[in-house]
Amino acid sequence: MMTQFWTTTPLEQMTPVQWESLCDGCGKCCLNKIIDDETDELYYTNAACHLLDSESCGCRRYIERFNYVPECTAITPENISELTWLPNSCAYRRLHLGKGLPSWHPLLTGSKDAMHAAGISVQGKTVNEMKVKYLEDCIVLWPLLDVE
């Protein structure tokens, strides 16, 4: 059985390969979000970054994404505590908060199939942001409903 490095290695000491493997590939970080100026409340939308492949839930241009989407946020051990918009299902957020990986996580199951089957990913639930006129019309609750 593979060593569960995420249980023994602090986030800030992980290798780049270990860090990247924590990403479950759900695609939720690629959803446009709205923050209410008055209440600071966060709303997820189903409007996804135009680089997101809605079937695989991966970025079509991951390595060079900042060339296409300069405002894309790199998730790092240094900024994880500030990224309060990450969903509760996010492995980076979970580990930062001292929680383990969920049972459907690809590092535990060997593939994204269980994650997709559990409805955790954005697969089949998004619209390309380029086709959206009013982001407020795209607010959804499902990204927040991951229980485990």
Side-chain angles (χ1 to χ4, degrees):
M1 183 174 158
M2 182 178 90
T3 305
Q4 296 184 341
F5 67 87
W6 57 91
T7 63
T8 58
T9 308
L11 294 175
E12 61 277 359
Q13 292 178 14
M14 290 185 181
T15 67
V17 170
Q18 289 173 325
W19 178 262
E20 288 289 320
S21 72
L22 290 178
C23 177
D24 56 37
C26 73
K28 289 180 185 170
C29 60
C30 302
L31 297 175
N32 284 270
K33 293 137 197 100
I34 300 171
I35 298 179
D36 186 307
D37 292 335
E38 295 177 14
T39 66
D40 281 341
E41 192 163 349
L42 172 72
Y43 297 94
Y44 280 83
T45 73
N46 65 348
C49 173
H50 64 281
L51 295 181
L52 183 72
D53 179 317
S54 62
E55 201 48 41
S56 73
C57 301
C59 181
R60 290 186 180 97
R61 300 270 186 259
Y62 185 72
I63 300 300
E64 67 266 14
R65 67 192 182 280
F66 301 108
N67 295 334
Y68 296 92
V69 184
E71 65 275 12
C72 181
T73 301
I75 300 169
T76 67
E78 294 76 31
N79 70 4
I80 188 66
S81 64
E82 302 163 21
L83 303 180
T84 56
W85 50 264
L86 288 171
N88 292 331
S89 61
C90 176
Y92 297 117
R93 181 175 187 153
R94 290 177 65 97
L95 293 177
H96 171 71
L97 295 174
K99 299 177 181 178
L101 296 181
S103 62
W104 47 260
H105 195 282
L107 281 174
L108 298 175
T109 65
S111 77
K112 290 183 176 185
D113 294 343
M115 176 185 60
H116 293 314
I120 300 301
S121 76
V122 303
Q123 188 178 58
K125 300 176 187 173
T126 63
V127 348
N128 186 310
E129 66 186 352
M130 300 297 201
K131 296 181 179 176
V132 172
K133 186 170 183 177
Y134 300 111
L135 207 50
E136 295 79 13
D137 293 341
C138 297
I139 292 174
V140 292
L141 296 177
W142 56 261
L144 304 171
L145 299 178
D146 331 333
V147 178
E148 185 186 341

